[in-house]
Amino acid sequence: MALIAAEVLAGRLSDPRTVIGDVRWYLVDPDQGRVEYDRGHLPSARFVDLDTDLSGTEGPGRHPLPPVDVFCRTLGRMGIGPDHTVVAYDASGGAIAARLWWMLDSLGHRSVFVLDGGFQAWVEAGLPLTTAVPQPSPVGYPPPDGWRGVVDGDQVRSLLGRRPILDARSEDRYRGENETVDPRAGHIPTARSAFFGKNLTPGGRFLPPESLQRRYRELGVGESDAPVAYCGSGVTACHNLLALRLAGISGRLYEGSWSDWSSRAGNEVVAGADPGVAPVG
């Protein structure tokens, strides 16, 4: 199970093998997460910045993955080794925390969780906050050969019409409305609208596995499929990959996502609610 409840995490605060990552981040103000962290965070939580710790400086899209060895050095600096249990949280229903979960899972990290309900669930449970910033001792994290479960734009094109493609962005952006971030509006041909927020209950917790299974079956994901998940820049797509995992389905991340696809000359885009058809040739 890739989720952990606030009360269960509270019982592990004294465990030195448990490391908590505060991954709060907001598209409209990328610095807000750090401000909120400084105001109060879970005891012993390290601040994990999406833009610098979970993204590289070169690669496809707005949030390319960092080189594996660079990320492993980041983990080591945070005091995270291969044998630690890592718990990620945010204040966005897991939308950003899932990126840290996916990256560790892609490395083969054995014990990594997202706090179900995030920061709000912790506060609602009456659990303690702190402004103290931990000073972890650096450790080693041997890098594996590379990221697993990643596809690039050329591979996505080859899979159109052959594998389910899931778009985690809001439904208006999927339709090509209100696009203010990326070069073109619309979605990848054949992609289904799979807004990540629909993985959650109204209270911000993940739906039970059977409800997630039903959701993704209705989106055309079969038992033997390995769907491709994308979003604006490869972040909230990880929320869908986490939900798929909870449903017992493995998927792959389109790293550059829409920010990569929409910037490639010649790539077809579809506007409106219909998924569209795979390009010919």
Side-chain angles (χ1 to χ4, degrees):
M1 190 68 170
L3 299 177
I4 189 169
E7 294 80 3
V8 175
L9 178 58
R12 296 188 180 183
L13 289 180
S14 60
D15 179 3
R17 307 306 297 175
T18 297
V19 178
I20 303 172
D22 184 316
V23 203
R24 283 179 282 182
W25 182 89
Y26 305 90
L27 181 62
V28 295
D29 183 0
D31 296 325
Q32 182 181 341
R34 181 72 205 209
V35 171
E36 292 183 356
Y37 174 84
D38 291 340
R39 289 175 181 163
H41 50 265
L42 274 62
S44 78
R46 286 81 159 144
F47 181 71
V48 183
D49 183 66
L50 171 65
D51 290 321
T52 58
D53 296 323
L54 304 184
S55 302
T57 57
E58 297 180 355
R62 288 182 280 109
H63 287 111
L65 292 168
V68 166
D69 61 330
V70 172
F71 180 57
C72 288
R73 287 198 297 272
T74 297
L75 293 174
R77 173 175 52 80
M78 293 180 180
I80 298 173
D83 295 328
H84 284 94
T85 291
V86 180
V87 179
Y89 74 88
D90 58 30
S92 308
I96 314 302
R99 169 81 167 205
L100 177 56
W101 169 84
W102 181 89
M103 290 172 71
L104 284 164
D105 185 74
S106 176
L107 296 184
H109 196 91
R110 290 188 295 271
S111 185
V112 56
F113 301 88
V114 167
L115 176 60
D116 198 15
F119 184 79
Q120 297 92 328
W122 186 269
V123 172
E124 289 168 4
L127 295 166
L129 298 174
T130 183
T131 57
V133 177
Q135 301 296 323
S137 299
V139 300
Y141 200 113
D145 292 336
W147 299 108
R148 300 183 303 178
V150 179
V151 292
D152 62 22
D154 292 336
Q155 290 170 308
V156 170
R157 172 175 283 279
S158 73
L159 293 171
L160 298 183
R162 300 172 49 220
R163 284 283 185 273
I165 312 293
L166 304 175
D167 187 325
R169 297 174 301 160
S170 62
E171 292 165 341
D172 59 336
R173 288 187 68 198
Y174 171 86
R175 293 191 300 266
E177 305 162 6
N178 305 317
E179 181 57 72
T180 61
V181 183
D182 292 313
R184 289 188 285 168
H187 59 265
I188 296 173
T190 75
R192 300 290 188 93
S193 178
F195 174 49
F196 76 88
K198 291 187 175 181
N199 295 322
L200 304 172
T201 69
R205 307 298 205 276
F206 273 84
L207 293 168
E210 57 272 17
S211 297
L212 292 170
Q213 289 172 357
R214 183 164 55 252
R215 179 184 189 215
Y216 287 101
R217 295 288 180 257
E218 291 172 354
L219 287 168
V221 179
E223 291 185 5
S224 60
D225 288 331
V228 172
Y230 80 94
C231 55
S233 63
V235 178
T236 58
C238 296
H239 197 278
N240 278 353
L241 292 170
L242 172 56
L244 285 162
R245 176 69 59 82
L246 296 171
I249 303 167
S250 295
R252 290 184 278 178
L253 174 69
Y254 177 12
E255 176 185 0
S257 285
W258 184 247
S259 57
D260 176 61
W261 184 272
S262 62
S263 65
R264 290 178 165 221
N267 270 358
E268 297 85 349
V269 302
V270 177
D274 189 84
V277 298
V280 177

